[in-house]
Amino acid sequence: MARKIFSFKYIVTVLLTVGILVLGGLNVQQKRRYIPPDDGASWVQGPKGIEARLILADGPAVKAGILRGDVVRAINGRPIQNDRQVTQILYELGAWSKATYTLERRGPVFDVEVVVGPQPERVLRQQTYLEIIGLLYFLVGIFVLLKRSRAPHALHF
């Protein structure tokens, strides 16, 4: 009885793997083109409302005068009910746009102008690091598949 060199499962797995690799490459390419917006503050739901928990040094929030503990009430006149809305509005505005934040600081309510900037370079370096790790895992999987294609769990790996 002749042994099959390539089974149907093997061919389907290889085709799916190549397809996923192509989609991953397109995803990386799109992430390189798009500049995600960032206001330099981490907004978290607190007892008083949506408050600034972490402010990046030299970020747009610091330059606008936002302090840790400030509560955001509205951005560009749109009331903020949860922390996800801040991110949603920032993505609608995009990087390098101006936004008027209505803030509350220990009672008084006031407005500040924030120039929404791009995400810090550190975030992009972390993203590149994760992409490299993903590619290494992919290469290890290909190596296992090629060297041990007949092993019981090689196809799953």
Side-chain angles (χ1 to χ4, degrees), residues 25-82:
L26 292 173
N27 187 3
V28 168
Q29 181 185 21
Q30 282 297 101
K31 284 183 179 183
R32 295 283 180 255
R33 287 185 190 165
Y34 182 71
I35 301 171
D38 187 40
D39 64 357
S42 177
W43 300 97
V44 179
Q45 182 77 40
K48 297 178 264 179
I50 314 305
E51 53 187 67
R53 284 280 165 88
L54 177 68
I55 307 291
L56 294 178
D58 291 332
V62 167
K63 292 175 183 171
I66 298 174
L67 300 176
R68 186 172 191 257
D70 285 354
V71 178
V72 64
R73 296 293 177 205
I75 298 176
N76 287 347
R78 291 172 56 184
I80 303 296
Q81 275 83 31
N82 58 47

Side-chain angles (χ1 to χ4, degrees), residues 1-7 149-151:
M1 182 163 100
R3 293 179 66 182
K4 288 184 180 179
I5 295 176
F6 296 109
S7 68
S149 62
R150 301 221 185 272

Side-chain angles (χ1 to χ4, degrees), residues 7-142:
S7 68
F8 178 72
K9 279 185 181 180
Y10 186 81
I11 293 172
V12 169
T13 302
V14 169
L15 290 177
L16 283 174
T17 303
V18 169
I20 289 172
L21 182 64
V22 168
L23 289 176
L26 292 173
N27 187 3
V28 168
Q29 181 185 21
Q30 282 297 101
K31 284 183 179 183
R32 295 283 180 255
R33 287 185 190 165
Y34 182 71
I35 301 171
D38 187 40
D39 64 357
S42 177
W43 300 97
V44 179
Q45 182 77 40
K48 297 178 264 179
I50 314 305
E51 53 187 67
R53 284 280 165 88
L54 177 68
I55 307 291
L56 294 178
D58 291 332
V62 167
K63 292 175 183 171
I66 298 174
L67 300 176
R68 186 172 191 257
D70 285 354
V71 178
V72 64
R73 296 293 177 205
I75 298 176
N76 287 347
R78 291 172 56 184
I80 303 296
Q81 275 83 31
N82 58 47
D83 50 359
R84 289 184 311 248
Q85 279 184 304
V86 175
T87 305
Q88 181 182 2
I89 291 171
L90 288 177
Y91 273 83
E92 287 173 6
L93 292 171
W96 305 116
S97 60
K98 284 188 179 181
T100 304
Y101 282 51
T102 303
L103 301 172
E104 180 181 331
R105 183 180 297 156
R106 294 182 218 104
V109 176
F110 58 96
D111 290 341
V112 294
E113 285 282 321
V114 178
V115 177
V116 180
Q119 280 188 344
E121 188 66 32
R122 176 189 45 123
V123 174
L124 298 175
R125 283 193 305 263
Q126 289 173 346
Q127 181 178 329
T128 303
Y129 173 72
L130 292 174
E131 289 165 356
I132 290 170
I133 288 176
L135 186 61
L136 288 174
Y137 268 96
F138 176 78
L139 293 174
V140 167
I142 293 295

